């Protein structure tokens, strides 16, 4: 009986050994598939992170390009209108020169004085024109609230309604901006 038991035990061991490689191979295959699934999941996650990082990089580059263009434009505007404050303060000086010239009495003594004042006025106007200052032409033009400040409406038979008939105070443009609107009388 011992021999039979021993023989039976040996058969079980042989059968178990024969089945064991199959079980081991199946287990190894299942483990390999699980590892592959985990790696594919990890790969998918890393691809999503890489795509998100790429999108953030592209947005940051676009923001930087916009910032660079905006600061360049602001820098150009600053250079273009750097003299605006000074010119704004000098425009009333021109007005006073013109008023002084309008009140000069006629006579030999005052004539040479008036010529000197005129020369100074022209020189000042030339310097300001070189900086981009230009007087507006208003009389006979249609009223435009962007360029004109209406102080009065007058009846006029020679002009249509809404036309500037008289300029009370000159208006000035600095390059392409209105520095000071012209004070005008408009026909009604």
């Amino acid at each position: 009986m011992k021999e039979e038991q021993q023989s039976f035990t040996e058969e079980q061991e042989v059968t178990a050994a024969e089945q064991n490689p199959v079980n081991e191979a199946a287990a190894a295959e299942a483990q390999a598939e699980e590892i592959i699934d985990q790696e594919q999941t990890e790969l998918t996650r890393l691809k999503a992170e890489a795509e998100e990082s790429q999108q953030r990089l592209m947005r940051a580059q676009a923001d930087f390009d916009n910032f660079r263009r905006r600061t360049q434009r602001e820098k150009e505007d600053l250079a273009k209108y750097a003299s605006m404050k000074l010119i704004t303060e000098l425009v009333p000086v021109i007005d006073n020169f013109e008023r002084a010239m309008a009140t000069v009495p006629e006579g030999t003594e005052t004539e040479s004085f008036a010529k000197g004042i005129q020369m100074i006025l022209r020189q000042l106007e030339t310097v300001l024109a070189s900086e981009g200052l230009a007087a507006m032409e208003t009389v006979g033009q249609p009223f435009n609230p962007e360029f004109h400040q209406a102080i009065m409406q007058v009846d006029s038979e020679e002009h249509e309604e809404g036309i500037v008939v008289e300029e009370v105070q000159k208006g000035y443009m600095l390059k392409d901006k209105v520095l000071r609107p012209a004070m005008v009388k408009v026909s009604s």
Side-chain angles (χ1 to χ4, degrees):
M1 185 123 157
K2 261 186 175 182
E3 285 178 22
E4 283 179 27
Q5 262 185 337
Q6 199 174 17
S7 170
F8 179 70
T9 309
E10 286 175 6
E11 280 180 29
Q12 283 180 337
E13 286 177 10
V14 169
T15 308
E18 288 174 355
Q19 290 176 354
N20 197 16
V22 172
N23 286 340
E24 284 180 21
E29 190 176 313
Q31 188 178 10
E33 284 179 14
E34 186 178 318
I35 291 171
I36 289 172
D37 286 345
Q38 288 175 353
E39 287 179 355
Q40 284 179 341
T41 304
E42 181 68 13
L43 181 63
T44 304
R45 185 184 66 76
L46 290 173
K47 281 182 180 179
E49 284 181 17
E51 180 65 29
E52 183 182 330
S53 294
Q54 180 70 19
Q55 291 297 322
R56 276 191 304 218
L57 175 65
M58 290 173 63
R59 281 192 297 273
Q61 279 181 318
D63 287 345
F64 180 72
D65 287 344
N66 290 339
F67 171 75
R68 189 171 29 88
R69 279 193 293 269
R70 185 175 55 248
T71 54
Q72 180 66 27
R73 198 172 331 123
E74 289 172 356
K75 185 178 174 183
E76 288 170 359
D77 282 350
L78 181 63
K80 188 175 182 180
Y81 298 108
S83 58
M84 188 173 196
K85 184 177 186 295
L86 175 65
I87 291 174
T88 302
E89 292 174 8
L90 288 175
V91 165
V93 174
I94 293 174
D95 292 340
N96 290 334
F97 266 122
E98 289 174 347
R99 285 187 199 104
M101 293 305 301
T103 61
V104 172
E106 297 206 15
T108 357
E109 292 177 15
T110 57
E111 200 170 301
S112 62
F113 178 73
K115 279 186 181 181
I117 297 287
Q118 271 183 330
M119 287 172 46
I120 294 170
L121 176 60
R122 271 190 301 235
Q123 183 182 17
L124 180 60
E125 287 174 339
T126 303
V127 169
L128 293 176
S130 71
E131 288 295 317
L133 184 72
M136 293 181 195
E137 296 296 323
T138 57
V139 177
Q141 302 292 320
F143 176 75
N144 183 344
E146 292 179 20
F147 301 108
H148 308 128
Q149 180 179 356
I151 59 169
M152 185 182 294
Q153 282 190 334
V154 294
D155 291 330
S156 175
E157 293 178 8
E158 60 186 70
H159 295 288
E160 296 177 17
E161 185 177 331
I163 302 294
V164 175
V165 293
E166 185 181 337
E167 181 178 69
V168 177
Q169 185 181 40
K170 277 188 181 181
Y172 290 95
M173 300 282 295
L174 180 59
K175 297 182 178 156
D176 58 352
K177 273 188 176 178
V178 175
L179 184 68
R180 180 177 80 185
M183 286 186 178
V184 296
K185 294 181 181 178
V186 182
S187 62
S188 57

